[in-house]
Amino acid sequence: MTPKTVFITGASSGIGRALAIEYARKGVRVAIVARRKKELDEVASTVGAKGGVAVPIVADVADAASVESALAEANDALGGLDMVIANAGAGCTTHATKLTVADVLRVVDVNVRGAFVTLVAALPYLLDRKRGHLVGVSSLAGRRGLPHAGPYSASKAALSTFLETLRLDLAGTGVRVTDVQPGFVDTDMSRATPTRPFLWTAEKAAKEIVSELRHAPAVYAFPLPLSAVVSASRLLPDGVVSYVAGRGLARK
Ligand SMILES: NC(=O)c1ccc[n+]([C@@H]2O[C@H](COP(=O)([O-])OP(=O)(O)OC[C@H]3O[C@@H](n4cnc5c(N)ncnc54)[C@H](OP(=O)(O)O)[C@@H]3O)[C@@H](O)[C@H]2O)c1
């Protein structure tokens, strides 16, 4: 089913922005959340120019009070929340020898703390109505510890595991849970990665995500070829993975 209202974090750019525009194109009213007001206002005007409704809300997902207040504001403005998408994310493409404590905290604060807080703080709004859809935008990178991506891969593994438990615990409540695991999507975040096989545009990713979410799958991973390669790589012995990474998949 297509929701009537959607709350999207990280909607000032990339996948979140494209999701907001795609949902609005379908007549869905959206609350768009991020830290950069100017970019959010641009998304809201783009949506408005096409006859849609987007409520911009400035919030920092690393700050729990800010997330709670954004959810309350969106719930009031939209008259209820049908779907909440924890999409805000921070990237990190740093070799382990060059990682700083600040890198680790930045990624964990947004991808783990921010996503968990968004999903948990949203839940009462959905449980009250005995329906709704919680969505987390994780990553194929969460399926393995990728080179130069320690905090990022680990943060997405944590998010996917959290979503799996939410799905089990919420069975029978009317609230559905989906873990979206993108491969490479052309956004500000992924431009820091030198090789991006099977790259999708943000618009294509948003179209496919919106279409898949109608069926509320447990996991939606894309694109299929990359998802299959990552799944198959889990079956390889660690020595083979280290060899391949050392031969050039990893930068020094
Ligand atoms: N692009 C890819 O290849 C790819 C692949 C797999 C998964 N993903 C995931 O997709 C999601 C969207 O990323 P993207 O690729 O679209 O990157 P992006 O264009 O850099 O967008 C990231 C979004 O997150 C928001 N954000 C970051 N920190 C925030 C904070 N503390 N509070 C609120 N919002 C915050 C940013 O807005 P502000 O800066 O305005 O706050 C921005 O809107 C992320 O979870 C990412 O991990 C992306």
Side-chain angles (χ1 to χ4, degrees):
M1 279 189 27
T2 303
K4 291 194 170 59
T5 61
V6 180
F7 176 98
I8 308 169
T9 66
S12 59
S13 62
I15 298 171
R17 176 183 188 278
L19 281 172
I21 293 171
E22 180 62 17
Y23 268 122
R25 202 178 63 78
K26 292 184 171 299
V28 178
R29 288 172 295 127
V30 293
I32 51 174
V33 180
R35 293 164 303 175
R36 288 171 295 167
K37 182 171 179 349
K38 187 163 154 259
E39 282 76 0
L40 279 182
D41 287 343
E42 182 276 323
V43 180
S45 333
T46 303
V47 166
K50 293 180 181 164
V53 175
V55 180
I57 303 174
V58 173
D60 181 344
V61 297
D63 172 1
S66 173
V67 174
E68 285 170 332
S69 126
L71 282 161
E73 184 179 338
N75 186 59
D76 285 350
L78 301 177
L81 302 176
D82 291 339
M83 178 185 282
V84 171
I85 307 181
N87 164 76
C92 180
T93 52
T94 308
H95 190 271
T97 55
K98 298 193 175 111
L99 270 179
T100 63
V101 169
D103 290 330
V104 172
L105 293 178
R106 182 176 57 83
V107 172
V108 170
D109 276 355
V110 178
N111 298 4
V112 180
R113 186 187 161 106
F116 286 19
V117 164
T118 302
L119 295 165
V120 168
L123 189 52
Y125 292 99
L126 310 190
L127 284 176
D128 260 8
R129 304 163 81 205
K130 298 188 172 48
R131 65 186 160 88
H133 196 169
L134 289 178
V135 178
V137 180
S138 179
S139 172
L140 288 179
R143 300 231 200 123
R144 287 215 69 119
L146 298 181
H148 298 261
Y152 185 75
S153 278
S155 71
K156 294 302 186 178
L159 176 55
S160 288
T161 303
F162 187 61
L163 289 162
E164 190 171 16
T165 292
L166 284 181
R167 190 178 318 114
L168 296 174
D169 285 354
L170 295 174
T173 64
V175 177
R176 294 153 305 163
V177 180
T178 297
D179 177 4
V180 175
Q181 299 180 354
F184 292 106
V185 179
D186 190 18
T187 65
D188 293 347
M189 182 187 294
S190 73
R191 279 174 208 127
T193 307
T195 314
R196 299 182 294 170
F198 304 105
L199 184 69
W200 281 15
T201 63
E203 291 69 29
K204 178 174 166 65
K207 227 178 215 341
E208 297 296 328
I209 292 169
V210 166
S211 169
E212 289 296 321
L213 288 181
R214 288 172 52 236
H215 313 294
V219 177
Y220 172 48
F222 65 88
L224 197 57
L226 192 59
S227 171
V229 168
V230 175
S231 296
S233 80
R234 290 198 64 87
L235 305 173
L236 294 173
D238 289 338
V240 173
V241 174
S242 302
Y243 176 77
V244 173
R247 292 279 295 177
L249 283 183
R251 287 166 298 133
K252 288 277 183 230

